[in-house]
């Protein structure tokens, strides 16, 4: 069931999202060569606690405040003091905050040090596909319009699009209906977009295959061909006359 949010709920979700955006403003400069993913995760924990929130992923039993995925890891990379970031890495951060019962969700991908021109294009195309999806997320459109917009931008640049994982409703729980795929389909529901929807739109784009595999840790999702991947995400709220990116400052 899709949970349509009222004004009070959207205001609470917005506050959580702005806190998450502020965390990213402080966090991005820290993501550099020689830093461990465990250190990044610890910074997130301390920031969230200091501002009265809790890591949203704790409710999912994920062992960290931030999913930190590197190179061929698409999503849900587990932070570790032993995992040291190197020059040339593509690092994806996926963080959520529970603030007074309201959930935010956003992801960013950073190229560390010297990366190739194609890798830089991967990050830029993923960003463009996200904003194309947000542009399609308007009252009266359908969820499939978001999927088509994301897919067309990525495919036109020759990149793979992960189909096994997708965006989703968010705000009162970490994962809510509806699913928001990045690949269009003629099967399954294709809900009309209506005011009060709060959605996490999150393209997962690869330099190779569309296929992914789950590692033995039960969390980390990697590309099946070990090609590098990128994940960028915003939480948005739909209104009568516009769609607001809640996780932007």
């Amino acid at each position: 069931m899709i949970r349509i949010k009222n004004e009070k709920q959207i205001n609470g979700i917005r506050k959580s999202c702005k806190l998450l955006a502020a965390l990213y403003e402080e966090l991005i400069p820290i993501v550099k060569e020689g830093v461990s993913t465990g250190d990044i995760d610890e910074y997130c924990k301390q920031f969230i606690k200091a501002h009265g929130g809790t890591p949203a992923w704790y409710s999912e039993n994920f062992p960290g405040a931030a999913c930190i995925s590197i190179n061929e890891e698409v999503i849900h990379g587990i932070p570790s003091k032993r995992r040291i970031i190197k020059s040339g890495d593509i690092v994806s951060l996926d963080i959520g905050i529970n603030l007074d019962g309201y959930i935010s969700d956003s992801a960013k991908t950073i190229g560390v040090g010297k990366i190739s021109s194609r890798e830089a294009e991967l990050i830029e195309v993923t960003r463009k596909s996200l904003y194309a999806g947000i542009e399609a997320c308007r009252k009266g459109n359908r969820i499939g319009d978001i999927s088509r917009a994301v897919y067309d931008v990525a495919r036109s640049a020759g990149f793979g699009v992960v189909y096994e994982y997708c965006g989703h409703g968010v705000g009162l729980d970490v994962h809510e209906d509806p699913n928001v795929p990045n690949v269009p389909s003629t099967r399954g529901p294709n809900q009309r977009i209506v005011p009060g929807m709060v959605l996490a739109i999150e393209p997962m784009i690869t330099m190779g295959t569309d296929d992914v595999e789950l590692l033995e840790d039960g969390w980390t999702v990697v590309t099946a061909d070990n090609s590098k991947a990128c994940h960028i995400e915003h939480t948005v709220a739909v209104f009568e006359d516009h769609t607001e990116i809640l996780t932007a400052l």
Side-chain angles (χ1 to χ4, degrees):
M1 182 181 70
I2 298 174
R3 302 171 78 173
I4 302 301
K5 280 72 174 182
N6 59 35
E7 182 179 359
K8 178 182 177 181
Q9 291 168 330
I10 291 177
N11 285 338
I13 298 165
R14 182 186 289 113
K15 185 177 179 182
S16 178
C17 287
K18 296 309 179 190
L19 180 60
L20 179 53
L23 169 57
Y24 273 118
E25 283 289 300
E26 292 192 13
L27 188 63
I28 296 304
I30 298 170
V31 182
K32 56 187 177 182
E33 183 178 5
V35 175
S36 78
T37 60
D39 289 336
I40 294 170
D41 187 62
E42 187 60 33
Y43 188 95
C44 293
K45 290 176 183 176
Q46 292 179 6
F47 180 98
I48 294 169
K49 181 179 179 181
H51 290 83
T54 57
W57 308 160
Y58 283 0
S59 67
E60 303 283 288
N61 297 315
F62 181 78
C67 301
I68 307 176
S69 307
I70 300 177
N71 296 330
E72 75 280 0
E73 297 170 353
V74 183
I75 51 173
H76 303 163
I78 299 173
S80 169
K81 294 283 189 180
R82 297 186 298 275
R83 188 79 186 274
I84 307 300
I85 293 172
K86 305 184 300 295
S87 179
D89 282 341
I90 293 176
V91 181
S92 294
L93 309 166
D94 187 0
I95 307 168
I97 297 175
N98 182 333
L99 186 66
D100 300 322
Y102 297 108
I103 310 296
S104 52
D105 188 1
S106 179
K108 296 185 182 294
T109 296
I110 302 101
V112 176
K114 186 176 182 180
I115 63 174
S116 72
S117 58
R118 185 61 171 168
E119 290 164 350
E121 184 183 7
L122 170 68
I123 295 172
E124 178 60 15
V125 167
T126 305
R127 187 191 69 81
K128 288 181 177 178
S129 70
L130 169 62
Y131 281 92
I134 293 171
E135 180 63 29
C137 183
R138 293 286 184 270
K139 173 192 170 183
N141 283 359
R142 292 187 180 273
I143 295 297
D145 295 318
I146 301 173
S147 308
R148 172 57 67 185
V150 169
Y151 183 85
D152 285 351
V153 170
R155 266 291 191 259
S156 66
F159 291 111
V161 184
V162 172
Y163 57 89
E164 289 188 41
Y165 296 85
C166 62
H168 50 88
V170 70
L172 304 180
D173 285 307
V174 171
H175 292 100
E176 303 176 13
D177 292 334
N179 286 336
V180 185
N182 295 310
V183 175
S185 174
T186 56
R187 297 179 297 174
N190 186 19
Q191 294 94 341
R192 184 78 65 183
I193 298 169
V194 299
M197 280 186 172
V198 178
L199 304 173
I201 301 174
E202 48 180 321
M204 304 164 205
I205 310 302
T206 80
M207 293 183 69
T209 183
D210 303 334
D211 298 325
V212 296
E213 298 174 352
L214 181 65
L215 296 187
E216 290 183 0
D217 63 24
W219 283 104
T220 309
V221 176
V222 300
T223 55
D225 60 358
N226 290 318
S227 61
K228 290 188 177 181
C230 181
H231 175 213
I232 307 179
E233 173 185 19
H234 271 309
T235 294
V236 305
V238 179
F239 296 91
E240 284 285 344
D241 58 351
H242 71 288
T243 294
E244 178 184 348
I245 303 175
L246 299 178
T247 43
L249 284 178

